[in-house]
Amino acid sequence: MPMYELIPTEAVTEVEATSFVGGHPHLPSTLALPTCAKCEEPLTFFYQVAFPEGHPWAPRSLAVFACTSTWHPDDLIPPLLPQRRDVVVPEGFLNSYQTTFRLLVFPTRTAVLREDYVPRVQFMAWRLDQARSVAVTKSKVGGEPTWCMGRENPASYAGRPLVFLMQLAGHFAFERLPGALPMARDPQFARLLPPSPRYDLFVGNVVYLWGTNDEGPEAVYALVQRP
Ligand SMILES: [Zn+2]
């Protein structure tokens, strides 16, 4: 499977972009904007990618949302299973684990710019450049994951095969737009620190995403490692 590095580009506008950070998400018009299952606030749109031809998930897109409104100390990262390397993800896990975040999957051609979403993160388009290897400090689609804490490829999801979707670099800078509320932080420290000009996705960890690779309904498995 070809591997593509995600490279920032200014050559693509927010209307044209299919892989990008921030701004308005492009989603099917029938899809509701996601809200947090814990605090019910609208989730913040972080980024989306359109899987290119040759990737098993083409021609689909994946959009990533997470809660920035409330400090959820027990839900800072996607729930992790006790065993991670070669794990068989148990049946149902991927239907219920998305509480303070949501990973939306849809056919790329059905997506429209969602004017009903109020952007919080600065827009930046990505282009996908085919690459033989991509450093762990970079983001990519397809190929094989680049681990920073050792290999944790999952085996399957309840007997269904999984394919590597993409990896987001750690400490990724999601620039907060003027007027958007700062990310909620630990109230113990929030008073002592100036508001951050950025949002963090899963506390700045490296994000690894897998998807089911069969004819059934798509499910996404997310895990993180400390950069
Ligand atoms: Zn929340």
Side-chain angles (χ1 to χ4, degrees):
M1 179 184 21
M3 177 159 64
Y4 298 85
E5 183 171 349
L6 290 166
I7 302 193
T9 176
E10 290 180 4
V12 182
T13 67
E14 193 182 346
V15 174
E16 302 162 337
T18 55
S19 297
F20 56 95
V21 173
H24 298 83
H26 295 192
L27 305 174
S29 55
T30 49
L31 209 55
L33 292 172
T35 55
C36 178
K38 297 270 164 136
C39 73
E40 297 179 0
E41 292 291 329
L43 295 180
T44 295
F45 170 64
F46 279 82
Y47 73 89
Q48 70 184 74
V49 293
F51 295 97
E53 211 176 305
H55 189 283
W57 270 37
R60 280 168 280 193
S61 283
L62 170 77
V64 177
F65 291 78
C67 185
T68 60
S69 304
T70 308
W71 170 247
H72 296 294
D74 298 329
D75 301 278
L76 296 175
I77 59 168
L80 297 175
L81 294 160
Q83 177 204 339
R84 293 202 284 282
R85 186 173 177 168
D86 299 320
V87 67
V88 176
V89 182
E91 179 85 59
F93 181 79
L94 301 185
N95 301 331
S96 58
Y97 82 136
Q98 296 183 28
T99 55
T100 59
F101 68 97
R102 288 290 299 282
L103 307 164
L104 302 179
V105 182
F106 47 89
T108 302
R109 62 178 169 75
T110 63
V112 295
L113 186 149
R114 292 293 294 264
E115 300 275 6
D116 51 338
Y117 175 85
V118 180
R120 296 172 176 171
V121 173
Q122 176 70 47
F123 169 77
M124 180 190 78
W126 272 321
R127 66 166 205 266
L128 276 66
D129 276 11
Q130 204 166 337
R132 282 179 177 278
S133 67
V134 177
V136 70
T137 53
K138 306 286 185 186
S139 303
K140 65 176 170 183
V141 170
E144 290 293 322
T146 313
W147 296 106
C148 42
M149 292 172 67
R151 185 183 169 278
E152 291 188 335
N153 292 50
S156 65
Y157 174 46
R160 301 174 64 189
L162 292 169
V163 63
F164 179 64
L165 298 178
M166 59 108 31
Q167 169 170 355
L168 185 79
H171 303 303
F172 194 96
F174 294 97
E175 303 292 342
R176 177 164 60 87
L177 286 171
L181 281 176
M183 184 155 187
R185 290 196 281 202
D186 185 343
Q188 256 196 303
F189 302 104
R191 268 174 294 139
L192 307 171
L193 299 167
S196 171
R198 292 175 174 179
Y199 288 134
D200 295 320
L201 181 62
F202 305 143
V203 220
N205 281 290
V206 182
V207 182
Y208 303 87
L209 300 179
W210 275 265
T212 46
N213 196 13
D214 58 18
E215 297 302 307
E218 299 100 338
V220 184
Y221 174 65
L223 76 84
V224 300
Q225 288 193 345
R226 217 171 300 138

